Amino acid sequence: GAQEMLTAAAVAVAAFLMPSEDASAIFRVVSAVLALAALFAASVCLELYQESKAKQEAKAGKNMFEVQTMRLELPPKPPGGVFGAARGMPELLKGYPVTTATEVKLLDHGFLLTSATPDGTRRLRVRLLGGDAVGWETGGEAWEEQRRRWIEAVRAAPRVAEVARIGW
């Protein structure tokens, strides 16, 4: 790779600059030391260049416009009611970041959460499972009421977490 090409170039330069046979021993030693110093400096510069390139590629990998989407299925009824679900939201949503700026959009089968993070936009598609009783099937009257409660819990979760954090 690049290391071998650098070594070959340094050997070529050293051979080109090598003193003739009739030069003094001191001049030959000084030439050899200078060739080794040039090889060392070129090697250090190559390593710095490769590290810089790797950092740029890692930085370029974080696309602020990238949208990461997760899917999750939840029971139709929030466990523990609105407050219980809000308190347990990090576990229920598998670590999805819910803040006061998180947008909530209704979907036919549940709801969609959208959060802006330093790594880009994250979305969580939540599918609320339908129940077995009349009205609890997906889109039924009781199911719609529970979806509304889930959304209340999502919106309350950041405030509940802050209250729990400060012990108020």
Side-chain angles (χ1 to χ4, degrees):
Q3 190 75 25
E4 290 83 13
M5 290 183 67
L6 178 66
T7 303
V11 168
V13 169
F16 180 75
L17 297 177
M18 189 169 176
S20 63
E21 292 180 8
D22 57 335
S24 69
I26 294 175
F27 185 67
R28 285 182 174 190
V29 169
V30 169
S31 291
V33 168
L34 287 175
L36 287 174
L39 178 61
F40 177 73
S43 179
V44 168
C45 289
L46 178 64
E47 279 188 42
L48 291 173
Y49 171 74
Q50 288 175 338
E51 285 178 14
S52 170
K53 191 174 181 179
K55 284 181 183 177
Q56 286 178 348
E57 287 174 359
K59 189 176 182 183
K62 292 184 178 180
N63 183 353
M64 292 304 296
F65 299 105
E66 180 180 353
V67 177
Q68 301 170 4
T69 303
M70 296 174 27
R71 288 180 167 72
L72 184 64
E73 289 185 348
L74 294 174
K77 189 173 183 181
V82 173
F83 180 74
R87 188 177 55 216
M89 200 57 65
E91 296 83 26
L92 292 169
L93 298 183
K94 309 283 191 248
Y96 181 84
V98 177
T99 66
T100 54
T102 298
E103 294 178 24
V104 181
K105 180 180 176 185
L106 296 177
L107 300 175
D108 291 339
H109 60 277
F111 53 92
L112 173 72
L113 302 177
T114 305
S115 297
T117 65
D119 298 331
T121 301
R122 293 184 67 188
R123 286 190 177 147
L124 177 64
R125 289 186 182 274
V126 178
R127 181 173 184 256
L128 297 179
L129 301 174
D132 296 327
V134 175
W136 281 87
E137 65 275 353
T138 301
E141 191 176 316
W143 183 90
E144 291 279 345
E145 175 63 24
Q146 296 308 315
R147 178 174 64 171
R148 188 186 60 72
R149 290 187 179 174
W150 268 109
I151 292 171
E152 287 176 13
V154 166
R155 289 187 173 140
R159 292 171 184 85
V160 170
E162 182 63 20
V163 166
R165 188 184 69 78
I166 61 175
W168 188 47

